[in-house]
Amino acid sequence: MAFFLFFFLSLLSLASSASRDHQKTFIVRVKYDAKPSIFTTHKHWYESSLSSILSPSTPTQVIHVYDTVFHGFSTKLTPTEAVKLQTLPHVVAVIPEQVRRLHTTRSPQFLGLKTTDRAGLLEESNFGSDLVIGVIDTGIWPERQSFNDSDLGPVPSKWKGQCVTTKDFTSGSCNRKLIGARFFCNGYEATNGKMNETAEFRSPRDSDGHGTHTASIAAGRYVFPASTLGYAKGVAAGMAPKARLAAYKVCWNAGCFDSDILAAFDAAVADGVDVISLSVGGVVVPYHLDAIAIGAFSAADMGIFVSASAGNGGPGGLTVTNVAPWVATIGAGTIDRDFPAEVKLGNGKVLPGVSIYNGPGLSTGRMYPLVYAGTGGGYGYSSSLCLEGSLDPEFVKGKIVMCDRGINSRAAKGEVVKKAGGIGMILANGAFDGEGLVADCHVLPATSVGASNGDEIRGYIDSASKSKSPATATIVFKGTRLGVQPAPVVASFSARGPNPQTPEILKPDMIAPGLNILAAWTDKVSPSGVSSDNRKTEFNILSGTSMACPHASGLAALLKAAHPDWSPAAIKSALMTTAYTVDNSGETMIDESNGNTSTVLDFGSGHVHPSKAMNPGLVYDITTMDYINFLCNSNYTINNIKVLARKTADCSGAKFAGHAGNLNYPSFSAVFQQYGRHNMSTHLIRQVTNVGDPNSVYKVTINPPSDIVVTVEPQELVFRRVGQKLNFLVRVEAMAVKLSPGGSNMKSGSIVWSDGKHNVTSPLIVTMQQPL
């Protein structure tokens, strides 16, 4: 009851504090058995529900009707009207809309997906040819070669979707590769007014580039030659090159609106997708108030794998988003390729940086005057960030200008420097960004350096200003470098755990390539994305957990094609328990932000390993009822659960599960609230399903967290057939540690089941908390 009471009181608070004519969008969940049986009458029925609580002079406005993953509608209401609507007997919940944001070629080879392998995952899955990946994003640029349909068979007979045509997205835009395309903008326009069609396309066509990029990562065809401005030359390919694509455009210039996202989920599931890839996110709220969690719950219930980006809020803790346990939450790692662009200072020091630039360069062997934008008069803090109009042309003309990262886009800072007459730019990370570097396409000679090297350059400029020899520098561009070590590294921006909603479920689940990823691009936007840049490119290089998510989506499609009987939870388990944590130099993956060893809060179960995921040995499967029991044990009310589940919720079986940590998840998280206790213990129950050899014996290896006692019973699992399920129990015993009020302490270990052929690895995290 606590969640509902909190929400209801929140609505009352809104109603008392907001003016009556201030409307916002709400998503309304209704009882399934309360609606008329004929779908075409639903909208009229919903309008009649609204008219019963609105004044006669207020027009009713139904934005979207939902009927597949969710039963209900979205509408504009004042907070007072939302409270009234909540009291109607057939209304289950009234959910405030959130606005989400985007989480913004070598990766197939880096992941071991080689076309020459005759027995690998690509071959076993026929490159995913009968699977459909639905990409919920900014749309798609259909003319790209990544979406050509050569040598593909007919559209799968199960497909029920459509290609929505407009003046700029004709019937020829879809083919046997891009088999569906829709757009959802009612929620966006309900809040922002009619779309400016000179700035963005009122169609599935991508005016941003993000959706085209993510779609081609998931399922782009082989394209050669591919590069961005001459960088990253080679063959471009998605994870599942023959999988079919369906684009669902929900993100617009003002963001991605929950009412539109839920409509896209509703359509994608009805259309017949096998995988949904979603590289957007927002703040973390209880699952029954989260449109992405709601849509994903029903999708998973219908056998559809849903992957979502973890977010770009790293390297700080508690930043992970899209944390529902029925969603695969994907963080970002590096691959073994980078684009070095070094800074050479007048004192002889050479500092590493990264950049993508192929325009007129700096003269070889010549040193240029170097200044820091924050010390050149101008507008102080704004000048240090190189914001629009903040630089004094007399101060920067003909010089390399150092700018601090933040506020405006990295490439836009270069445009500001160029407009003011600067000849080059060094972009320095702040303390929060640490040492993580992202390569950008720039409009002038420019490079990015880490926080410590930024400090060193500022120090050099300061000391040079006090001497008779002014500071000088140049930038040396070194193109594309392969075979980089160490790799993978956890990207600095990748969002980190612990899970702010349910600490008993470790998030992110895993990481995948997300730094400097080459993929298809739109003609609407230049590679740098800045207004003065008129260049066009077939491919662009971007970074973000947005890029990591479709890697996992494409791999899930391959696994589903190779194992049609596997559930979404089984596919996720295979990816998680075969993931690795050791980089190509033989050490535990490091954290790019500080160079230290990374932890399970950074990478979850580890980095995806596709070839091993095809044959994981054992999987941790999860049913819809398991998720319902998890919600019951997480103190969600029956009414809360009805918002998520399409069927009547029942918590009577939850007591057998015991507690939220007993969801049959492929990772283990034990959370202890100390409350003055000295000795604490808990148990975690799991069930594994044999998907390996019929007669096999798995023995357990326990790597306990330091000072934690972990026991597993039984220590041996004997399987006689494929599909057999066996249970085991993990007992965790801990002693209190000294913590200040509100403090916590996290330690990690692992549990590995092995039959000599398969290693089924699960991270184990133990968290001690001292309540306030």
Side-chain angles (χ1 to χ4, degrees):
M1 195 65 195
F3 280 137
F4 176 73
L5 183 61
F6 168 78
F7 176 61
F8 198 74
L9 289 173
S10 297
L11 283 179
L12 287 171
S13 174
L14 273 170
S16 63
S17 62
S19 64
R20 284 185 172 273
D21 60 355
H22 179 69
Q23 289 189 319
K24 66 172 292 182
T25 300
F26 290 86
I27 296 168
V28 184
R29 171 73 156 89
V30 301
K31 293 179 180 176
Y32 181 68
D33 55 5
K35 300 186 309 176
S37 58
I38 303 171
F39 178 79
T40 53
T41 65
H42 289 180
K43 184 176 180 182
H44 300 300
W45 188 78
Y46 293 142
E47 287 172 343
S48 68
S49 296
L50 285 173
S51 63
S52 70
I53 59 103
L54 297 174
S55 66
S57 61
T58 304
T60 58
Q61 179 189 8
V62 171
I63 298 170
H64 286 295
V65 171
Y66 312 107
D67 205 60
T68 303
V69 299
F70 186 82
H71 301 299
F73 62 101
S74 49
T75 186
K76 296 280 285 186
L77 298 169
T78 66
T80 302
E81 291 163 348
V83 171
K84 287 182 182 177
L85 189 62
Q86 178 75 73
T87 63
L88 296 182
H90 56 273
V91 172
V92 176
V94 181
I95 304 164
E97 177 171 70
Q98 286 191 71
V99 183
R100 314 287 178 144
R101 301 295 170 191
L102 300 167
H103 286 154
T104 251
T105 53
R106 183 167 168 76
S107 51
Q109 297 97 307
F110 181 66
L111 291 170
L113 294 174
K114 298 174 183 174
T115 57
T116 53
D117 289 350
R118 305 316 301 170
L121 180 55
L122 285 173
E123 188 71 18
E124 287 285 326
S125 65
N126 191 23
F127 299 78
S129 64
D130 288 328
L131 275 290
V132 183
I133 301 174
V135 180
I136 299 177
D137 211 296
T138 67
I140 197 161
W141 196 267
E143 291 81 11
R144 287 293 172 250
Q145 279 303 302
S146 296
F147 310 127
N148 82 77
D149 65 355
S150 61
D151 303 322
L152 288 180
V155 173
S157 58
K158 66 176 183 177
W159 180 246
K160 302 181 183 68
Q162 57 182 290
C163 188
V164 176
T165 58
T166 65
K167 64 179 183 289
D168 57 57
F169 202 91
T170 64
S171 58
S173 297
C174 290
N175 55 20
R176 296 189 309 272
K177 175 65 174 179
L178 178 61
I179 63 173
R182 297 176 182 245
F183 66 99
F184 303 87
C185 60
N186 291 359
Y188 161 54
E189 290 188 320
T191 298
N192 295 277
K194 189 165 177 58
M195 183 188 305
N196 177 4
E197 294 187 45
T198 63
E200 50 189 334
F201 300 110
R202 191 187 179 85
S203 78
R205 187 170 290 278
D206 184 7
S207 59
D208 178 275
H210 191 273
T212 301
H213 203 267
T214 56
S216 69
I217 292 171
R221 303 302 304 275
Y222 292 102
V223 181
F224 177 83
S227 73
T228 297
L229 308 180
Y231 286 77
K233 289 180 180 177
V235 179
M239 295 296 97
K242 289 187 179 180
R244 316 309 173 104
L245 279 166
Y248 299 87
K249 182 176 178 179
V250 300
C251 294
W252 307 88
N253 287 352
C256 321
F257 290 75
D258 271 0
S259 54
D260 294 333
I261 292 172
L262 194 58
F265 266 104
D266 211 54
V269 173
D271 289 349
V273 303
D274 299 286
V275 172
I276 290 176
S277 187
L278 183 77
S279 289
V280 303
V283 299
V284 176
V285 295
Y287 304 127
H288 70 292
L289 302 179
D290 183 343
I292 292 174
I294 292 167
F297 188 97
S298 289
D301 182 43
M302 297 185 205
I304 298 164
F305 182 94
V306 180
S307 61
S309 47
N312 296 342
L318 285 168
T319 51
V320 65
T321 67
N322 294 322
V323 296
W326 45 88
V327 171
T329 309
I330 315 300
T334 68
I335 61 175
D336 61 342
R337 178 186 68 197
D338 66 7
F339 310 106
E342 297 172 344
V343 176
K344 184 177 181 181
L345 299 177
N347 62 8
K349 288 193 175 178
V350 177
L351 306 175
V354 297
S355 179
I356 300 165
Y357 178 72
N358 75 337
L362 302 173
S363 299
T364 304
R366 179 182 169 187
M367 301 297 284
Y368 295 83
L370 171 66
V371 294
Y372 172 47
T375 59
Y379 295 90
Y381 180 62
S382 296
S383 298
S384 71
L385 295 168
C386 296
L387 301 183
E388 184 68 38
S390 68
L391 299 182
D392 179 357
E394 289 189 17
F395 179 64
V396 304
K397 187 175 181 180
K399 299 170 184 172
I400 293 176
V401 182
M402 180 173 164
C403 305
D404 291 336
R405 184 170 164 181
I407 309 295
N408 56 343
S409 80
R410 297 181 296 271
K413 295 175 189 293
E415 184 182 41
V416 171
V417 170
K418 186 176 182 181
K419 280 181 183 176
I423 201 168
M425 177 182 70
I426 299 169
L427 179 58
N429 281 358
F432 179 80
D433 302 302
E435 305 308 313
L437 297 180
V438 176
D440 297 295
C441 294
H442 289 287
V443 295
L444 84 172
T447 189
S448 296
V449 300
S452 60
N453 284 330
D455 290 340
E456 180 155 345
I457 295 170
R458 285 188 207 89
Y460 164 65
I461 294 172
D462 185 53
S463 62
S465 69
K466 297 171 183 174
S467 69
K468 294 182 180 179
S469 53
T472 59
T474 191
I475 302 170
V476 181
F477 298 94
K478 298 204 162 185
T480 303
R481 181 173 61 171
L482 302 178
V484 173
Q485 288 188 320
V489 168
V490 179
S492 178
F493 57 77
S494 187
R496 315 299 168 96
N499 183 338
Q501 188 62 39
T502 313
E504 294 85 359
I505 303 296
L506 176 61
K507 292 283 182 171
D509 290 307
M510 63 198 100
I511 64 170
L515 186 77
N516 300 334
I517 304 299
L518 178 91
W521 193 240
T522 175
D523 274 350
K524 181 73 171 175
V525 182
S526 68
S528 68
V530 302
S531 59
S532 64
D533 187 359
N534 296 316
R535 295 173 294 179
K536 287 182 168 52
T537 181
E538 174 99 1
F539 296 92
N540 202 4
I541 294 170
L542 296 186
S543 299
T545 57
S546 280
M547 285 64 249
C549 168
H551 278 91
S553 307
L555 295 177
L558 295 179
L559 290 171
K560 182 73 174 175
H563 302 284
D565 57 327
W566 281 11
S567 69
I571 293 170
K572 182 163 75 167
S573 173
L575 288 167
M576 289 172 66
T577 62
T578 58
Y580 62 90
T581 60
V582 175
D583 62 32
N584 60 3
S585 64
E587 302 294 330
T588 300
M589 286 187 291
I590 65 171
D591 182 343
E592 186 191 34
S593 70
N594 54 26
N596 297 333
T597 300
S598 56
T599 73
V600 293
L601 295 181
D602 306 326
F603 55 66
S605 293
H607 192 283
V608 292
H609 195 313
S611 60
K612 285 192 175 180
M614 185 178 70
N615 183 17
L618 306 175
V619 294
Y620 294 80
D621 211 350
I622 306 176
T623 67
T624 300
M625 188 51 65
D626 292 332
Y627 289 129
I628 289 174
N629 288 340
F630 159 80
L631 291 166
C632 295
N633 287 323
S634 301
N635 297 320
Y636 283 75
T637 67
I638 293 294
N639 210 59
N640 297 152
I641 298 169
K642 281 180 182 176
V643 178
L644 290 153
R646 295 177 306 124
K647 50 179 73 70
T648 302
D650 180 2
C651 281
S652 61
K655 62 180 180 291
F656 296 108
H659 55 83
N662 277 344
L663 180 66
N664 200 42
Y665 217 67
S667 55
F668 298 83
S669 176
V671 182
F672 294 109
Q673 303 283 348
Q674 295 194 161
Y675 288 113
R677 293 178 295 169
H678 187 65
N679 296 314
M680 291 154 287
S681 68
T682 190
H683 64 275
L684 303 167
I685 300 169
R686 293 292 189 270
Q687 181 184 80
V688 284
T689 304
N690 181 22
V691 295
D693 302 320
N695 292 292
S696 51
V697 178
Y698 284 82
K699 296 182 178 179
V700 72
T701 299
I702 304 167
N703 301 300
S706 60
D707 302 318
I708 304 290
V709 177
V710 179
T711 54
V712 176
E713 297 175 8
Q715 296 184 4
E716 190 174 272
L717 299 174
V718 181
F719 292 95
R720 300 299 181 207
R721 67 181 188 280
V722 174
Q724 184 179 355
K725 300 176 185 292
L726 292 175
N727 296 339
F728 65 92
L729 181 145
V730 178
R731 180 168 295 279
V732 180
E733 300 174 81
M735 295 180 65
V737 295
K738 190 171 183 179
L739 293 171
S740 57
S744 65
N745 174 273
M746 185 278 294
K747 298 175 180 178
S748 64
S750 65
I751 292 173
V752 185
W753 290 99
S754 179
D755 65 348
K757 179 179 177 182
H758 307 92
N759 290 315
V760 187
T761 304
S762 296
L764 167 64
I765 183 170
V766 177
T767 305
M768 315 293 288
Q769 295 179 341
Q770 185 63 44
L772 286 168

